[in-house]
Each structure stands twice: as C-alpha cells, then as structure tokens.
Amino acid sequence: LFWNPTLISGNEVHVYFRVNSLFWDPNVFGRYLILAVLAATAYMVWTERTERAVAAVIGCVILIAGLTLSFSQSSIFALLAGLVALVALRWGVRWALGAGAVLAIAAAGLVLAAGVEPTSGRSLEVRSSGRVTLIKGGAELARDRPLYGYGSGSFQNEFSQRYLDVDEPEGGAISHSEPVTVAAEQGAVGLIVYAALVLCGLVALLGAAPLIPAPRGALVACFVAMIVHSLAYAGFLIDPVTWGLLGVGLALARAPIPSPLAER
C-alpha cells in the first residue's frame, strides 16, 4: 500500500483491506494484473508443452491472488470478459456462450456475496464508490446536449457545477465510464467515432497473425478486457495499453511470423 491517502483512510473504516502496489488506485493495479493473467492464459491454452502450461497456471494463481487483494470488482468482470473471448477463439462461439453463462452466474454470486441488494439503489451506490450517481449525472449531461456535448475535458467541471454546486471541480467528479464520458463531452458525434474505433480495433486484432493464435488470442482478450474495464473505470482512450495492443496487432498483421515460431 503506497501514497494514496484516500485509500489509506478507506481501509481504516472498511471491513476489507485494499492494496494498490505501485499504482495510485487499486483498480488500475487490478487492470494490469488481469492483462498479465489473460496473456498467460492465452499461452497456456495453446501451448503443447505441459510443463510450460503448468508454469503459466502457477503464474496466473499468483496474479489472481494480487487481484483478490486489490478488491477491484471492475477488474474481475473485465477478466471474465477476456476469458470468454479466449474461449471463443480457442474452442468456438458455442463454448464461449456456455462459458459466458457460467461466468455470469458466478459474477452474480460475487455481487450477492458483496452484499449488493438488487432493489436497493443506495447499497449499489455505496458498493460502487459513488459511480452510480456519476454515471447518471453523465447520462443527463449527454441528454441535454445530445449532438456535440460540452467539449473535451468538460465532464468534471460541468458535473461539479450542476450536481455538487461548486465552481471548483472535485477530484471525484469523473464519470468512471468511458462511453458516458464521451457522450457527455462529445455527444453523438463522439460516440460514433468511439464505437468505430472499438469495432475497427477488434477487427484488426482478430485479423492479426492467424498463424500464431496464442499472441492473437492474448491481444484480442486484453483488448476486450480493456473495453469492459473502461465501462466502470474509464481510461480506455488515454491508457497506453490500448494503443500498444493495437500497435502490436497491426505490426503482426503486416509481418506475420511463420507458424513454427508459435510455440516459442
């Protein structure tokens, strides 16, 4: 636990203890942990070397232990989405649908175990650290200016003035959801560009290096996880990982590596 006074104060009053490693926020720590888990899992499900698959499993167990200590719910859901994407690429859509159903039930169990009452908005608000209010406020901002929004970087200021009744924005007045932020700041025009970027990114990564399925699977799974994680924690467009994944995928698509190297 390092240098985040808000997290330190929160740990003093909560029944659980969250860690953040060298990252400011436990959710950011969780994001990078699940990316490593998905990369290792992609290698594990495609490799034909048993000892290397076992090593990947051990690595994943250690990383998931760190994820558990971060108590990052958004990272857990993003990990599940990335795993479903891996199943679809490795065994087909039918298996992915089955895996998705099982994981959805498991996710629902996690939500219930966390004490979130489906009929209690207040409970969900507390468990989500105020994200429900932020997302609702962002949706209202987008509704008021549906075409072009309030401008780049305006969410924090507009939300603070409207809902917090202060002229100086507070640090927490961020929607934490990438589509909501885009809708409030850029309107429908921005959402179209955002959706096009996501779709083109997925298509590009799916078409990258078909002769080396493990790297392609890792890229796609990590990209899907980034999308899902940004629904609850934003940071999709500004995270270097997003552009790194696209850059590696495009590089592999332009210069595919021969299949004998797939297991190396």
Side-chain angles (χ1 to χ4, degrees), residues 1-14 16-21 23-27 69-71:
L1 180 66
F2 291 94
W3 63 282
N4 185 334
T6 302
L7 180 60
I8 293 173
S9 300
N11 281 333
E12 293 178 353
V13 299
H14 290 148
Y16 50 83
F17 187 91
R18 303 186 70 183
V19 301
N20 63 344
S21 185
F23 299 89
W24 173 260
D25 193 292
N27 292 299
L69 295 175
S70 75
F71 202 74

Side-chain angles (χ1 to χ4, degrees), residues 11-72:
N11 281 333
E12 293 178 353
V13 299
H14 290 148
V15 296
Y16 50 83
F17 187 91
R18 303 186 70 183
V19 301
N20 63 344
S21 185
L22 296 176
F23 299 89
W24 173 260
D25 193 292
N27 292 299
V28 180
F29 177 42
R31 169 180 287 188
Y32 295 128
L33 283 175
I34 67 169
L35 295 177
V37 170
L38 290 171
T41 304
Y43 180 82
M44 178 182 64
V45 299
W46 265 287
T47 186
E48 296 178 357
R49 303 282 295 273
T50 303
E51 67 279 7
R52 294 187 180 184
V54 172
V57 170
I58 294 173
C60 287
V61 170
I62 295 172
L63 293 170
I64 291 175
L67 177 62
T68 303
L69 295 175
S70 75
F71 202 74
S72 174

